[in-house]
Amino acid sequence: MDVIELLPRLHLLRFPVGQAYLWHDGAESTLIDAGAIGAGRTIAYAVTALGRAPGDVRRIVLTHFHEDHAGGAGEFAALSGAEVLAHDLDAPFARGELPGPSPRFEDWELPIHTEVSRRLPQGEPVRPRSVTPVSDGDVLDFGGGARVVHAPGHTDGSIALFLPDEGVLFTGDTVAASPVDGAVMPGVFNLDRTQLLGSLHRLADLGADVACFGHGDPVVGRASAALRKAADSHPATG
């Protein structure tokens, strides 16, 4: 796993598939997403290498339930004591109470999904003992007040997190950056692509300066322009 400083208070944790983020408020940290199965201990090592203790991470906020984002949450929560939060529509899947619905793949997405699946760790994840549900408009106690933005389409309970005081937006898989040229684009492997495009437009209107995606390089500086370009290239319908 690579650990990359994006801002003095923000680190990117890059896994073989996907990525997570650490936000720091003084001695307290917040983890946004938690990687795939087995990532919990790796995250704990990364936190320690940054001069912090796993117990300094007070909360894990899941942008959605997919295994490359939620698979490591239970393991890291057990190591750190962190609270796990997810949208109330995705929380039952993150807890393992129900199997989550499968994406509705576009034909061109199928070979990409096969390759991604091959690279993901196999096995049963350590499930968090509890998941605190959050909803659209909730404000979480980090980053000067992190606003939960419901962004359905990738999953029904997908969320973004916007830190207005910092201009930082965590999009989860609603938005991605192309691995080829870094262009900002709608996320793939969705339940409802039309709904996702509506969510992309909503996120583009927030005026973020920094955008952190679940996959692909973040945009650090003038992110709102990149998000608006992507939204204008993919009109929302319905």
Side-chain angles (χ1 to χ4, degrees):
M1 180 183 69
D2 296 325
V3 180
I4 301 165
E5 182 178 293
L6 300 177
L7 300 170
R9 297 168 65 185
L10 176 62
H11 285 84
L12 163 66
L13 310 181
R14 178 166 285 153
F15 305 103
V17 175
Q19 48 213 28
Y21 297 89
L22 270 171
W23 178 268
H24 310 290
D25 290 298
E28 180 178 307
S29 298
T30 297
L31 178 66
I32 296 93
D33 288 329
I37 294 168
R41 192 163 297 278
T42 304
I43 294 170
Y45 291 147
V47 170
T48 302
L50 292 171
R52 297 168 180 266
D56 294 335
V57 180
R58 302 298 176 84
R59 64 192 65 81
I60 305 163
V61 187
L62 301 178
T63 61
H64 60 292
F65 74 86
H66 286 164
E67 60 184 306
D68 55 328
H69 293 255
E75 182 184 15
F76 185 72
L79 292 169
S80 63
E83 179 184 20
V84 180
L85 302 93
H87 191 275
D88 54 6
L89 292 177
D90 271 20
F93 313 130
R95 287 192 293 261
E97 296 170 354
L98 296 169
S102 298
R104 296 170 184 153
F105 295 108
E106 307 279 340
D107 288 345
W108 62 269
E109 294 177 339
L110 290 170
I112 303 172
H113 183 261
T114 298
E115 173 61 20
V116 169
S117 298
R118 185 186 64 81
R119 295 165 57 198
L120 282 171
Q122 302 301 306
E124 282 297 317
V126 176
R127 296 293 184 182
R129 291 184 176 180
S130 64
V131 176
T132 301
V134 298
S135 300
D136 186 60
D138 287 352
V139 177
L140 308 182
D141 189 20
F142 73 94
R147 179 154 62 91
V148 175
V149 182
H150 188 206
H154 186 65
T155 68
D156 289 337
S158 285
I159 60 170
L161 297 168
F162 183 48
L163 282 55
D165 290 351
E166 306 289 342
V168 175
L169 175 66
F170 301 95
T171 71
D173 282 0
T174 299
V175 194
S178 168
V180 177
D181 59 7
V184 177
M185 56 183 279
V188 297
F189 311 160
N190 303 304
L191 276 179
D192 186 329
R193 180 172 170 80
T194 298
Q195 196 175 43
L196 176 121
L197 293 179
S199 293
L200 167 60
H201 280 254
R202 184 181 184 192
L203 298 185
D205 289 339
L206 294 175
D209 188 54
V210 176
C212 299
F213 312 124
H215 300 270
D217 291 337
V219 178
V220 181
R222 296 178 52 82
S224 59
L227 289 166
R228 174 48 54 197
K229 181 179 179 181
D232 290 346
S233 300
H234 298 84
T237 59

